Amino acid sequence: MPFNYVTVKASSDLFTPATRAFGDILVIGKGALGSAGSGAQSFTYPSEAVKAYPQGATKLADKVEPPTGTVTSAAKFPVGTEVAIGKEGEAEVRTIKAVADAAGKFTLTLDEDLKSAHAADDPVVGLDLSELAAAISLAFRQTPPPTKVWGIEVAFNNPVWSTALTAAEDVPAQIVMLANTPLNEQPSTKHPVELLAKHVIEVSNTGGDGKERIGVAMLDRTLTQDKQVALNKGAIHDNRMVLVAHKSEKDDVAAAVAGVIAGHEPHISLLLKSLSIEMPDLFTATEIQTYYDNSINWVTSPVMLPGHSLYLGEGLTASPSGNKKYIDIVRTLDDIGFRIKAALIEAVGDLRIDRPGLRTVVTLVQSVLSPLVTRGVIEDYTVHIPLLVLLERERATLSADELEQIGDGRSGRSVDMEVSVVYAGVIHQIAVKLVLKG
């Protein structure tokens, strides 16, 4: 072994900025019948959510004598639920057509008469997916699908949405929605979607670094269009909310739209991105214009696109305020803001308020934004630190006021910086003038 006067052992201890997902979803909704709710759980496969949130079961309240098309139960399933009535091996599968409350019991009207007798306390088991499991499964069914979906279960009979939304504050998700909860006129005050809107606004503004998020909700398809657009008001009329109109009879379209948003990077426009739902009827041109004028998205199927698939007709936020008319603008700002803060945290408590220190701060911001320019996410950017401009000048040329600004910055240990980003929006409309000349 040769003799060395100086020995150096090299190792790497590079700073790695924090990262966050750009499209994790949080779904809040009803799980199993009789459930009192549960805390947040994360899923990477829809089958995991189906196991975690079954539809549940109840019991027959009275003996059943065939043939009969009605039974009484201790609890009720929603209308349209497919249930198995009776013990295993003797169960009969029927669909609930109507539900009536009578003296603490529930009368279930079935789509077909029962053909066998069933004793009181025999099970009535739901065979469909719970609202929460169905929403999570539909979000995963989109192409490309989200990477992770979180679920928070609320009580089946008396859901307390405010409590669930409070628990949602600590969930690392960027898109929040309520399962099978269309925006309508019931209840008249404190609608769950309004609570969702207040949640995403408050958490985004005061919830700490990286907590920015958007909310997604569907309109109630049974309402007239005038009533639908009138509901985009108050806290809901905000650029952190996304509303969608549809004519699907059974799918939770808000879950589908949330899945589409989560499957694309923040700077990708949501215009004409495919939706995996069932919707036999489409909106008229007049209806579409009304939705557009009121900052509401719609589901469409343009004749120029082959396959007659369904697509999101626009990528609008619920309010164009703050020049944030489109979903990708809000998400891109959130994403870039997080990236810059994650890079600059290295400077806090380490770099000094002098020329080398502030130049390093500029370099850190450039290390975040330059790759975004290369990838075409943004077109250009500028970084301006007023204090650095003063420090770059000869001290003898500075006025007393400018010297005081330097002193205040150093004594207060605070640096102001402005980052301007040029974001080139995606083409949404093209006007073509076709001229034929002989």
Side-chain angles (χ1 to χ4, degrees):
M1 183 176 180
F3 178 79
N4 296 313
Y5 288 98
V6 178
T7 301
V8 176
K9 293 184 179 180
S11 63
S12 176
D13 188 18
L14 296 176
F15 173 77
T16 303
T19 58
R20 74 166 185 169
F22 59 78
D24 285 354
I25 303 172
L26 169 60
V27 183
I28 303 173
K30 298 177 182 179
L33 178 68
S35 170
S38 59
Q41 300 183 61
S42 63
F43 306 97
T44 53
Y45 297 97
S47 57
E48 298 173 345
V50 173
K51 293 179 181 178
Y53 306 119
Q55 195 169 38
T58 184
K59 295 180 180 181
L60 290 173
D62 300 305
K63 182 180 180 180
V64 174
E65 293 290 350
T68 180
T70 61
V71 298
T72 56
S73 63
K76 65 177 180 178
F77 284 102
V79 172
T81 301
E82 190 177 47
V83 294
I85 301 173
K87 295 179 180 178
E88 188 174 353
E90 302 174 355
E92 298 179 76
V93 177
R94 298 290 186 271
T95 300
I96 298 174
K97 289 298 184 180
V99 179
D101 189 351
K105 299 183 292 187
F106 297 91
T107 300
L108 311 180
T109 302
L110 309 176
D111 63 333
E112 184 181 340
D113 286 350
L114 294 173
K115 299 178 181 179
S116 302
H118 301 283
D121 291 336
D122 274 5
V124 180
V125 181
L127 301 180
D128 296 332
L129 296 178
S130 67
E131 293 182 6
L132 183 52
I136 294 174
S137 298
L138 186 56
F140 272 118
R141 206 167 75 205
Q142 307 309 306
T143 304
T147 302
K148 181 186 293 185
V149 180
W150 292 79
I152 292 181
E153 185 181 21
V154 296
F156 186 90
N157 293 321
N158 297 297
V160 183
W161 299 103
S162 57
T163 300
L165 288 167
T166 299
E169 294 176 4
D170 295 325
V171 177
Q174 296 77 49
I175 305 161
V176 186
M177 61 150 296
L178 309 179
N180 194 32
T181 306
L183 177 59
N184 52 30
E185 298 170 314
Q186 301 295 329
S188 58
T189 59
K190 293 185 179 179
H191 192 283
V193 175
E194 183 177 1
L195 296 178
L196 170 65
K198 292 179 179 179
H199 164 83
V200 296
I201 295 170
E202 182 177 355
V203 173
S204 297
N205 293 333
T206 63
D209 295 335
K211 291 293 184 69
E212 298 85 1
R213 52 189 55 180
I214 61 173
V216 181
M218 61 181 175
L219 302 183
D220 190 333
R221 67 178 183 85
T222 64
L223 298 178
T224 64
Q225 188 179 47
D226 289 342
K227 289 185 177 181
Q228 287 180 336
V229 299
L231 292 172
N232 185 10
K233 61 183 180 179
I236 297 172
H237 187 61
D238 190 89
N239 53 44
R240 288 205 169 272
M241 285 296 296
V242 176
L243 300 178
V244 58
H246 69 98
K247 291 188 177 183
S248 178
E249 295 181 359
K250 65 176 185 177
D251 285 325
D252 190 338
V253 178
V257 172
V260 170
I261 296 173
H264 293 85
E265 290 190 71
H267 66 283
I268 302 297
S269 170
L270 278 303
L271 174 66
L272 295 182
K273 296 304 182 286
S274 62
L275 283 170
S276 294
I277 60 172
E278 294 183 14
M279 196 180 88
D281 299 323
L282 299 175
F283 294 106
T284 65
T286 302
E287 288 174 325
I288 289 174
Q289 187 63 51
T290 300
Y291 286 132
Y292 180 83
D293 293 341
N294 288 274
S295 301
I296 296 171
N297 301 287
W298 62 92
V299 179
T300 187
S301 180
V303 295
M304 299 301 295
L305 294 176
H308 301 288
S309 297
L310 295 172
Y311 300 86
L312 191 61
E314 250 299 352
L316 303 169
T317 62
S319 171
S321 61
N323 291 323
K324 297 177 182 178
K325 182 177 181 179
Y326 298 101
I327 303 168
D328 57 290
I329 295 177
V330 177
R331 299 184 71 220
T332 299
L333 281 172
D334 289 346
D335 184 58
I336 292 177
F338 179 86
R339 291 170 182 262
I340 290 176
K341 287 185 285 188
L344 288 178
I345 196 69
E346 180 186 10
V348 176
D350 235 353
L351 299 180
R352 297 190 176 278
I353 303 177
D354 54 16
R355 277 181 290 182
L358 297 185
R359 286 171 180 168
T360 301
V361 169
V362 173
T363 301
L364 289 173
V365 176
Q366 290 173 337
S367 70
V368 171
L369 299 181
S370 292
L372 298 182
V373 174
T374 303
R375 291 174 50 208
V377 175
I378 59 176
E379 184 176 350
D380 197 8
Y381 68 89
T382 56
V383 182
H384 176 63
I385 302 179
L387 206 57
L388 178 58
V389 175
L390 298 179
L391 291 171
E392 295 280 11
R393 291 167 51 187
E394 292 292 335
R395 189 175 181 85
T397 66
L398 297 174
S399 66
D401 181 62
E402 291 170 334
L403 289 171
E404 184 179 359
Q405 291 180 43
I406 295 175
D408 290 344
R410 285 173 167 169
S411 61
R413 306 293 179 94
S414 177
V415 176
D416 292 330
M417 175 171 59
E418 180 181 301
V419 180
S420 299
V421 174
V422 179
Y423 183 63
V426 176
I427 296 173
H428 278 211
Q429 295 180 353
I430 299 177
V432 178
K433 292 185 178 180
L434 181 61
V435 180
L436 296 179
K437 294 184 177 180

